[in-house]
Amino acid sequence: MTNELWVIAEDSAALATLCGAGRALGLPVRAVVLGDVEDAGAYGAQEVLRFATPVSGLVEDTAPDVAALLEERQARLVAASTSPTGTLVAGRVAARLGVPLAAAVESVEVGETLTVRRQVLGGMAVRTEQLAGSAAVVTIGAGTFDPAPRGEAAEVAVETVAAATDSGIRLVDTQVQQVESVNLAVAPRVVSVGRGFAAQEDLALAEALAAAIGAELACSRPVAEGSGWMAKERYVGVTGAKLKPDLYIAVGISGQVQHTSGVDGAKVIVAINKDKDAPIFADADFGLVADLYEALPLLTAQL
Ligand SMILES: Cc1cc2nc3c(=O)[nH]c(=O)nc-3n(C[C@H](O)[C@H](O)[C@H](O)COP(=O)(O)OP(=O)(O)OC[C@H]3O[C@@H](n4cnc5c(N)ncnc54)[C@H](O)[C@@H]3O)c2cc1C
């Protein structure tokens, strides 16, 4: 078994994330792509093997064939994304290979054994786990590592591999859910709103600040999942998006660890909160103890 990272990706965003993980871990990457992944050869993998979408129409049904290929190639460390498809494939491949599966890891140490670190207890703690045996499958979330840039390395040819297994399932219908398309993980500046905003229309204050500095808008979980003022794709934290922006401005956010663990990679955190004892100030590089309704218009006007 060799020390390289085999990645399984169902789209180019997952491929960029997983190839970025390989770079960060200092491991050469070999990729298995499922279905039609745009520019699959352009993210720095040394080899790209493609499984066409199987007759079932579900790319995750390639898992038995992917597992057989990885076994033949003596893959030691395999990574998929934490997306629903990535998680499904990772679980099936790990079961077929008879190796442990570690979900949503933040780091992997490759020695005689594999050791992973991941958040537990809703982000309250980080656990280090040594995995039994010498091979494993892990899943890695977007934003955990910087994504590999497209086209920086020389492009490799994509080789198509025939899938032999028929799961017997047929895709009958697909209804596209209307979700907001936002990729916070690559935004250099983010203005994030919390329950300090009293009404949905007041978010216009944060939108104006974001527009003034060219930032994306994000939020705490209650703003997305509780009040439904913003799309779920925009909430940050242990169960939401994990970001590493250059600038993160938290407005009316208390700063519970479940939120701040999503931005602990931010270069600069600015907090605006009217409570001087709010925990967010412990994580902030710059803090403004102020009522957001007074501070935001003044701040935006200065920019
Ligand atoms: C298992 C688990 C997972 C979780 N995952 C996440 C997650 O991924 N992301 C996440 O965000 N949360 C998550 N949570 C919820 C988290 O614990 C907090 O409840 C949540 O982050 C609080 O959101 P908030 O800061 O917007 O609201 P609050 O905690 O209510 O804070 C509002 C803040 O606004 C300030 N404020 C009020 N009015 C004003 C004003 N006029 N001007 C300025 N400041 C004002 C207040 O002083 C307060 O600090 C999770 C919880 C659990 C149990």
Side-chain angles (χ1 to χ4, degrees):
M1 287 188 176
T2 53
N3 283 345
E4 54 191 10
L5 179 66
W6 277 88
V7 306
I8 308 172
E10 74 280 19
D11 57 34
S12 43
L15 184 59
T17 293
L18 297 168
C19 287
R23 280 161 58 119
L25 299 171
L27 297 173
V29 174
R30 295 186 191 278
V32 172
V33 296
L34 309 179
D36 296 320
V37 175
E38 208 177 319
D39 300 326
Y43 290 95
Q46 295 186 344
E47 181 180 7
V48 181
L49 302 167
R50 169 182 175 270
F51 283 92
T53 304
V55 283
S56 68
L58 304 165
V59 291
E60 55 268 33
D61 283 347
T62 54
D65 296 291
V66 173
L69 174 100
L70 294 171
E71 191 160 31
E72 184 193 318
R73 299 293 294 270
Q74 297 194 311
R76 182 179 183 207
L77 178 59
V78 180
S81 88
T82 51
S83 67
T85 300
T87 306
L88 268 175
V89 175
R92 292 185 192 181
V93 167
R96 291 250 165 194
L97 295 176
V99 301
L101 168 68
V105 302
E106 298 194 331
S107 74
V108 185
E109 274 171 44
V110 183
E112 278 181 25
T113 55
L114 297 168
T115 305
V116 300
R117 281 163 66 84
R118 59 198 188 93
Q119 291 187 8
V120 291
L121 303 174
M124 299 284 284
V126 175
R127 191 160 71 192
T128 304
E129 298 171 356
Q130 193 178 69
L131 305 178
S134 59
V137 178
V138 300
T139 60
I140 295 173
T144 307
F145 298 100
D146 290 335
R150 183 190 162 286
E152 196 176 71
E155 190 157 340
V156 300
V158 178
E159 187 188 331
T160 298
V161 184
T165 315
D166 181 351
S167 66
I169 298 170
R170 294 292 177 270
L171 182 63
V172 179
D173 185 27
T174 302
Q175 292 189 1
V176 178
Q177 197 182 358
Q178 294 304 322
V179 290
E180 207 178 317
S181 169
V182 55
N183 191 356
L184 288 175
V186 297
R189 296 171 186 173
V190 175
V191 172
S192 195
V193 302
R195 272 200 298 214
F197 286 78
Q200 186 171 13
E201 53 269 28
D202 301 344
L203 300 184
L205 296 171
E207 285 165 9
L209 173 62
I213 59 169
E216 273 288 354
L217 214 57
C219 62
S220 64
R221 182 162 130 173
V223 172
E225 292 214 319
S227 54
W229 290 348
M230 287 177 66
K232 287 187 184 140
E233 291 71 28
R234 288 194 187 267
Y235 89 77
V236 171
V238 65
T239 49
K242 296 197 174 38
L243 317 181
K244 292 181 179 174
D246 295 335
L247 175 64
Y248 186 77
I249 305 181
V251 188
I253 291 178
S254 57
Q256 304 304 322
V257 66
Q258 292 88 359
H259 181 83
T260 54
S261 62
V263 285
D264 52 14
K267 290 204 179 83
V268 175
I269 296 180
V270 176
I272 302 174
N273 196 303
K274 70 177 183 184
D275 174 7
K276 70 174 174 44
D277 296 321
I280 190 73
F281 288 123
D283 291 292
D285 300 284
F286 300 94
L288 183 59
V289 180
D291 187 319
L292 69 90
Y293 288 92
E294 291 168 19
L296 287 193
L298 291 173
L299 195 56
T300 305
Q302 295 294 318
L303 294 165

